[in-house]
Amino acid sequence: MTRRPYIVGNWKMHGTRAMLSEARAIDRAAQRHMKVEVAIAPPYTLIHPIHREAEQIAVGAQDCHHEDGGAHTGDISAAMVADAGASFVILGHSERRTGHGESDALVRAKAGAAFAAGLKVILCCGESAATRESGKAVAFVKKQLKASLPEAAQLPAELAERLTVAYEPLWAIGTGTPATTDDIAEMHSVIRALLIELLGEEQGPDVRILYGGSVKPDNAAAIFAVPDVGGALVGGASLTADSFMGIALAASEPFEN
Ligand code: PGA
């Protein structure tokens, strides 16, 4: 099955209502790039206002709690972000894992909660610079992804539609220097093989695998030409419509045939 490339903006802790005009510009531009699936994950406070106006783009959250509700001051459940208009949630981002001590088991529980609430999930994985230097990147990512993915019984039937994996090496995030296309190719093929092993021949080949880490309009085409790259998770370059849609434009080309 050929999937549309998926280009997702992770706004992180950037954006007040002043950014709504940028979201509008992204939405308008996305209507001219129908071969690409464009989405943004703004801060929680902007999910509903963007969702209300968006005609083309999907809106998502950057995290959610693993429980449905209760005495969890400051937390937000999967059902709440869905109620605000989110159709997907990014889980296990390295800034959550390192900045908030999120374990693989917690990410797995969050993914189970998000699926149960009807959300799509973008599950992030990636190794640190130290792990790569020690030659253990492949083993680390395999273990991390396997332990972060819910058990088969908790996975929805239409999995390839609901699950996306994002490979984001920590050393490439926000540095301006993405991983090399060789490193991306190696890790994406490892992740593809693992998805087939865990999810089976039916679903494993169709789950999209995004690359994330310093994707910009000028390096995007080379990254999208790598086998098994199904799109990008974009931080800094997703904050303006110009740079974000420059990446979407690059995504519409290698997938044309
Ligand atoms: P970056 O962030 O594009 O700014 O490197 C990517 C991410 O953290 O998802």
Side-chain angles (χ1 to χ4, degrees), residues 87-144:
S87 57
F88 71 95
V89 60
I90 298 170
L91 293 174
H93 190 282
S94 61
E95 287 153 18
R96 299 292 316 171
R97 291 179 186 268
T98 55
H100 296 263
E102 292 194 3
S103 64
D104 295 341
L106 182 62
V107 175
R108 166 181 276 176
K110 289 181 175 203
F115 284 135
L119 294 169
K120 297 179 181 179
V121 169
I122 299 177
L123 196 58
C124 301
C125 58
E127 80 287 357
S128 66
T131 301
R132 178 153 287 269
E133 277 152 26
S134 69
K136 296 187 180 129
V138 164
F140 177 89
V141 168
K142 282 174 78 173
K143 185 164 174 282
Q144 185 185 50

Side-chain angles (χ1 to χ4, degrees), residues 225-247:
V226 174
D228 264 322
V229 171
L233 184 54
V234 185
S238 70
L239 294 171
T240 67
D242 268 2
S243 58
F244 192 42
M245 296 315 292
I247 293 169

